[in-house]
Amino acid sequence: MATLPLTLTPATSLPYSRRKLFSFNSIKCCKDTNGQPRVNIKTSDNGFASFPEKSPLKSSATVRPPRPRRIILVRHGQSEGNVDESVYTRVADPKIALTEKGRADAEESGKRIREMIEKDGVDNWQVYFYVSPYRRTLETLRGLAKAFERSRIAGVREEPRLREQDFGNFQDRETMKLQKATRMLYGRFFYRFPNGESAADVYDRITGFRETLRADIDIGRFQPPGKRNPNMNLVIVSHGLTLRVFLMRWYKWTVEQFEGLHNLGNGNMIVMEKGYGGRYSLLVHHTEKELRKFGLTDEMLIDQEWQKYAKPGELSYDCLTTGPSFFAHFDDEDNKT
């Protein structure tokens, strides 16, 4: 598969049923089987005080925190499996380490991220990390984090849903060659490896992670309560296919559009940066040439241009990333009129 060597230049009231939920502070039971009154059982507040995103009373009365400036997707550095596929026959995929070059890839990636952020010309910037629990991604995170002082790192979360596509435990080289050839015939998105996953399976778990990420952004989990720092940068350290699926899910790309994408090179990144209206667009940081090399089509680029100016919650009815192929007969109708 070709790789992409990117060089990154208030609600005032609640429904009655909800008000009752918060007003109850005990459960008053009936008499027991012997006719004696049961003891009242004290309850808590259902945990709402501990989880602000679950508390309508709290979340609706406050203004949402500023969205992070960027979401930076980083592929792990070169791993032992990238240079010698036989490693997969004797080492569990989650335990495969980086090579010496891979560790250098990680440190270089951290430097590039810092340089990019410092060009903003602000003093209060920070980074927050999400990372796959595989050894090679954890090692990549440790390497790139060397570019940041402790005060610059707002936090880190290990996220299993960001793991690599599952190829089925220990791999037999000849069997994998046959399966990968079959995948090209069957289709890269839907082909499921025996005892493993398809890209469609990865899409399902990434959908769950995306909802978690959006909730984290909406409640400002990346900084202490009351902080309003708009210069937060999220960094997701994961795997090539997983990151492509993440972009597919975020921007609602079709299966055909996904299958036209290329893998990021080891240690490389792609940046979703907040545009003029507050949405994230790939065209804020990257050039059209870079994105075409990654595999974006004309329709996808038109949508990214719209994303650059649109506001969160707005819908585009002109920039359809699905393209005209679904309704080709419309062209005939236009010609008649």
Side-chain angles (χ1 to χ4, degrees):
M1 182 182 297
T3 60
L4 173 65
L6 278 180
T7 302
L8 297 182
T9 43
T12 57
S13 62
L14 290 170
Y16 178 70
S17 60
R18 178 65 72 180
R19 292 202 303 270
K20 289 201 301 181
L21 175 64
F22 286 99
S23 63
F24 285 167
N25 56 14
S26 66
I27 302 174
K28 299 181 179 180
C29 301
C30 303
K31 295 181 180 180
D32 60 22
T33 55
N34 296 321
Q36 299 298 319
R38 294 186 186 274
V39 178
N40 290 349
I41 303 172
K42 295 292 184 182
T43 66
S44 67
D45 293 328
N46 294 315
F48 284 104
S50 301
F51 300 95
E53 68 269 31
K54 295 184 179 180
S55 175
L57 287 178
K58 292 188 176 183
S59 61
S60 62
T62 58
V63 178
R64 285 182 175 178
R67 305 181 103 202
R69 182 181 288 265
R70 298 178 183 87
I71 302 175
I72 306 166
L73 311 181
V74 181
R75 187 186 176 197
H76 62 80
Q78 184 189 75
S79 74
E80 295 170 344
N82 292 136
V83 297
D84 180 10
E85 291 189 354
S86 68
V87 171
Y88 294 106
T89 67
R90 59 183 184 274
V91 181
D93 197 0
K95 298 180 180 179
I96 291 177
L98 294 180
T99 63
E100 191 65 33
K101 181 181 183 303
R103 288 187 281 275
D105 290 340
E107 293 188 20
E108 181 61 28
S109 178
K111 293 176 183 177
R112 293 202 308 270
I113 292 174
R114 180 167 188 136
E115 289 173 1
M116 173 176 58
I117 295 174
E118 287 181 337
K119 288 180 180 179
D120 296 335
V122 296
D123 296 327
N124 62 341
W125 62 267
Q126 286 187 298
V127 290
Y128 187 100
F129 299 101
Y130 292 87
V131 61
S132 157
Y134 278 33
R135 179 176 176 179
R136 56 188 179 273
T137 41
L138 292 171
E139 289 181 347
T140 299
L141 173 58
R142 295 187 184 103
L144 67 83
K146 290 181 180 180
F148 306 99
E149 300 85 359
R150 182 181 296 274
S151 61
R152 295 294 187 183
I153 300 176
V156 59
R157 178 184 295 184
E158 182 178 288
E159 177 51 74
R161 289 172 293 185
L162 289 173
R163 67 187 184 275
E164 173 67 289
Q165 179 182 6
D166 190 345
F167 295 101
N169 301 325
F170 294 102
Q171 301 172 20
D172 178 81
R173 292 188 69 182
E174 297 304 316
T175 301
M176 283 302 296
K177 287 181 181 179
L178 177 61
Q179 290 174 359
K180 288 181 178 180
T182 305
R183 177 178 62 174
M184 296 305 295
L185 295 174
Y186 192 91
R188 288 167 54 196
F189 186 75
F190 292 110
Y191 181 79
R192 178 181 287 120
F193 288 88
N195 302 313
E197 289 181 306
S198 65
D201 295 321
V202 179
Y203 183 98
D204 291 342
R205 56 175 160 89
I206 285 298
T207 295
F209 168 70
R210 176 180 177 272
E211 296 310 306
T212 297
L213 180 62
R214 290 188 63 180
D216 287 353
I217 290 173
D218 287 344
I219 68 172
R221 190 183 292 277
F222 319 110
Q223 46 194 323
K227 295 291 184 179
R228 311 289 301 174
N229 185 359
N231 297 306
M232 189 67 64
N233 298 268
L234 306 186
V235 182
I236 299 176
V237 185
S238 187
H239 310 262
L241 178 134
T242 306
L243 294 176
R244 282 181 282 138
V245 169
F246 175 86
L247 289 169
M248 176 191 182
R249 181 62 185 87
W250 188 281
Y251 291 117
K252 301 176 179 64
W253 293 339
T254 67
V255 171
E256 181 180 1
Q257 289 167 338
F258 166 82
E259 292 186 337
L261 299 176
H262 305 291
N263 227 0
L264 291 171
N266 291 117
N268 280 325
M269 67 190 83
I270 192 162
V271 181
M272 304 163 59
E273 188 162 339
K274 194 164 61 173
Y276 301 102
R279 295 175 73 103
Y280 294 102
S281 170
L282 301 176
L283 269 175
V284 176
H285 181 82
H286 297 286
T287 65
E288 177 185 331
K289 183 178 180 180
E290 287 176 324
L291 295 180
R292 286 191 184 278
K293 194 170 183 179
F294 183 46
L296 269 68
T297 63
D298 288 341
E299 291 84 3
M300 297 161 80
L301 288 168
I302 291 171
D303 180 64
Q304 288 301 314
E305 185 68 19
W306 176 81
Q307 300 276 355
K308 189 162 66 170
Y309 296 95
K311 298 178 181 179
E314 289 184 348
L315 297 177
S316 172
Y317 296 96
D318 297 321
C319 305
L320 297 177
T321 59
T322 53
S325 58
F326 286 109
F327 308 107
H329 64 285
F330 288 166
D331 293 335
D332 296 333
E333 293 179 5
D334 290 340
N335 289 333
K336 291 177 181 180
T337 58

